[in-house]
């Protein structure tokens, strides 16, 4: 038997395997597999053996749902004994959400999962897809990586710390509150001191990933009706993207009544900051007090993407609201700094 590592590549969708159509770029079944098959660089002895699975339907990631996150996690979990590592090829638009969700869903997995994609399709001149795919595959073959990473351009980032920071640049992702796990330059260098340690290897996935959670960005002049709609049944969770350290307008009595009524019904509220850098501290300002009274939990330095995915996962796992609040503020997959 060959000692080449075996990597499972799930092509979920995204620009990397898209073709130009009359209405713009769209994923075309078979195209990515063909591009990989016809690229001799991906079939040399230094590159691990790749098994590609194209999902159906292929998605522009703008259409990805939490159910798709669960589908990817299940796909990886059922194959975890058969492969050394996993690559998820995904659209960039919601890649940070999917990478975050996979980190929570697969938090017991002891193998590398690398999410990547591209800004220009593989078959198009100047595509960044070939380099991103190659780097992702090489990172997925490493023995020291045992977590969900996002590889893009020269950055190797912790998946649940990422945000899409550029709509057109080749360095399209950042992890504002955590230094990169590594860099892919002339050499692929990973800083082992930043990696997560061994996990149990056991993965327990929820049956469905369907807990209704909303996401609301606070803004000057926001009407109470918007918050009311965001907390109305069937909502079980709400991520509030507050200002700065986690503040919101407190001059509007209707807004505060709505918040209290939602909390009364048991809606779990998590608070993140609109600032990309820094952390939430609900004890810093009086304008955070109504959130504390509503039992809201500060998301510390979590990204909005991670906070949303985390609340969906925790509520779908069936914990009671108090346990969800406790877990939301705990470090489950390296997504926050306590
Ligand atoms: N719209 C695409 C997607 O998210 C963007 C990309 O992949 N670069 O699927």
């Amino acid at each position: 038997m060959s000692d080449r590592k075996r990597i499972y590549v799930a092509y979920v969708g995204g620009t990397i395997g898209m073709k130009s159509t009359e209405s713009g770029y769209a994923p075309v079944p078979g195209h990515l597999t063909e591009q990989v098959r016809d690229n001799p660089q991906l079939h040399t002895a230094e590159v691990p053996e790749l098994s590609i699975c194209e999902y159906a339907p292929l998605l522009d990631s703008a259409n990805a749902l939490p159910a798709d996150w669960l589908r990817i996690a299940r796909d990886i979990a059922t194959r975890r004994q058969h492969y050394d590592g996993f690559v998820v090829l995904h659209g960039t638009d919601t890649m940070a959400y999917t990478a975050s969700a996979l980190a929570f869903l697969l938090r017991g997995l002891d193998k590398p999962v690398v999410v990547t994609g591209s800004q220009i399709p593989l078959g198009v001149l100047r595509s960044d897809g070939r380099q991103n795919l190659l780097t992702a595959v090489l990172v997925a073959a490493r023995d020291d990586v045992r977590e969900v990473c996002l590889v893009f351009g020269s950055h190797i980032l912790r998946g649940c710390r990422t945000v899409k920071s550029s709509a057109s640049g080749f360095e399209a992702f950042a992890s504002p509150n955590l230094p990169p796990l590594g860099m892919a330059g002339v050499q692929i260098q990973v800083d082992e001191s930043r990696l997560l340690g061994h996990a149990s290897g056991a993965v327990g996935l929820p049956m469905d990933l369907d807990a209704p959670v909303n996401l609301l960005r606070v803004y000057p002049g926001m009407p109470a009706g918007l918050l009311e709609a965001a907390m109305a049944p069937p909502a079980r969770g709400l991520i509030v993207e507050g200002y700065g350290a986690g503040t919101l307008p407190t001059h509007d009595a209707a807004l505060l009544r709505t918040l209290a009524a939602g909390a009364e019904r048991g809606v779990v509220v998590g608070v993140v900051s609109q600032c990309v850098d820094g952390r939430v501290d609900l004890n810093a300002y009086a304008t955070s007090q109504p959130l504390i009274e509503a039992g809201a939990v500060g998301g510390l330095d979590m990204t909005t993407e991670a906070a949303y995915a985390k609340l969906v996962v925790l509520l779908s796992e069936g914990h009671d609201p108090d346990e969800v609040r406790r877990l939301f503020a705990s470090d489950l997959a390296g997504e926050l700094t306590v």
Side-chain angles (χ1 to χ4, degrees), residues 13-16 18 59-62 90-94 118-119 164:
T15 298
I16 192 163
M18 286 190 184
L59 297 176
D60 183 303
S61 77
H90 194 284
T92 56
D93 291 344
T94 63
S118 73
Q119 296 280 40
K164 183 175 177 180

Side-chain angles (χ1 to χ4, degrees), residues 271-282:
V271 186
V272 290
S273 176
Q274 293 176 14
C275 303
V276 283
D277 185 19
R279 56 198 285 124
V280 163
D281 176 5
L282 295 182

Side-chain angles (χ1 to χ4, degrees), residues 76-99:
I76 292 173
T78 52
R79 289 173 167 80
R80 65 188 186 279
Q81 317 285 12
H82 309 296
Y83 292 91
D84 299 297
F86 300 87
V87 169
V88 178
L89 299 180
H90 194 284
T92 56
D93 291 344
T94 63
M95 189 183 284
Y97 289 89
T98 300

Side-chain angles (χ1 to χ4, degrees), residues 147 149 156-158 178-183 189-191 194-195:
E147 60 182 282
C149 305
I156 303 165
L157 306 170
R158 172 159 301 146
L178 191 80
L181 301 178
M183 296 301 289
Q189 279 174 332
V190 173
D191 183 340
R194 294 190 183 140
L195 295 173

Side-chain angles (χ1 to χ4, degrees), residues 13-325:
T15 298
I16 192 163
M18 286 190 184
K19 266 184 166 173
S20 184
T21 71
E22 268 177 17
S23 43
Y25 281 135
V28 174
H31 183 55
L32 177 114
T33 307
E34 237 169 66
Q35 292 288 325
V36 172
R37 194 193 53 210
D38 297 346
N39 181 347
Q41 264 207 339
L42 291 169
H43 306 286
T44 59
E46 307 97 284
V47 178
E49 216 176 298
L50 307 180
S51 300
I52 301 178
C53 170
E54 286 199 6
Y55 280 25
L58 291 168
L59 297 176
D60 183 303
S61 77
N63 285 323
L65 297 171
D68 296 301
W69 309 339
L70 183 60
R71 180 181 176 193
I72 303 166
R74 214 172 255 148
D75 193 19
I76 292 173
T78 52
R79 289 173 167 80
R80 65 188 186 279
Q81 317 285 12
H82 309 296
Y83 292 91
D84 299 297
F86 300 87
V87 169
V88 178
L89 299 180
H90 194 284
T92 56
D93 291 344
T94 63
M95 189 183 284
Y97 289 89
T98 300
S100 298
L102 291 178
F104 299 122
L105 289 166
L106 297 171
R107 56 193 188 269
L109 191 78
D110 207 29
K111 291 196 171 163
V113 175
V114 184
V115 187
T116 194
S118 73
Q119 296 280 40
I120 301 180
L122 269 179
V124 172
L125 198 67
R126 293 189 60 247
S127 173
D128 52 332
R130 197 185 55 169
Q131 206 56 42
N132 287 349
L133 173 58
L134 201 49
T135 307
V137 165
L138 295 173
V139 172
R142 292 179 68 104
D143 293 321
D144 53 356
V145 175
R146 297 181 199 90
E147 60 182 282
V148 178
C149 305
L150 189 154
V151 159
F152 216 91
S154 58
H155 290 90
I156 303 165
L157 306 170
R158 172 159 301 146
C160 55
R161 289 283 195 160
T162 57
V163 295
K164 183 175 177 180
S165 54
S166 171
S168 50
F170 286 161
E171 303 289 344
F173 287 84
S175 66
N177 284 320
L178 191 80
L181 301 178
M183 296 301 289
V186 172
Q187 311 276 348
I188 293 183
Q189 279 174 332
V190 173
D191 183 340
E192 283 200 36
S193 69
R194 294 190 183 140
L195 295 173
L196 296 182
H198 274 289
S200 67
V203 178
L205 295 174
M207 288 295 287
D208 297 294
L209 201 59
D210 56 0
V213 175
N214 291 316
L215 171 55
L216 187 65
R217 181 180 170 102
V218 164
Y219 59 91
M222 182 179 81
L226 210 54
L227 181 65
E228 196 173 347
M231 294 185 89
R236 292 175 57 209
L238 172 68
I239 297 296
V240 173
E241 219 189 55
Y243 304 125
T247 61
L248 87 173
T250 51
H251 56 78
D252 181 352
L255 199 79
L256 303 186
R257 273 197 307 275
T258 304
L259 187 64
E264 192 88 348
R265 286 195 307 276
V267 178
V268 177
V269 180
V271 186
V272 290
S273 176
Q274 293 176 14
C275 303
V276 283
D277 185 19
R279 56 198 285 124
V280 163
D281 176 5
L282 295 182
N283 295 310
Y285 290 93
T287 44
S288 296
Q289 193 57 34
L291 288 165
I292 297 179
E293 282 163 19
V297 195
L300 304 168
D301 59 351
M302 254 190 292
T303 63
T304 299
E305 290 84 338
Y308 173 70
K310 189 175 185 180
L311 198 50
V312 172
V313 169
L314 292 176
L315 286 167
S316 301
E317 283 178 346
H319 312 283
D320 64 52
D322 279 341
E323 180 66 355
V324 170
R325 288 189 186 95

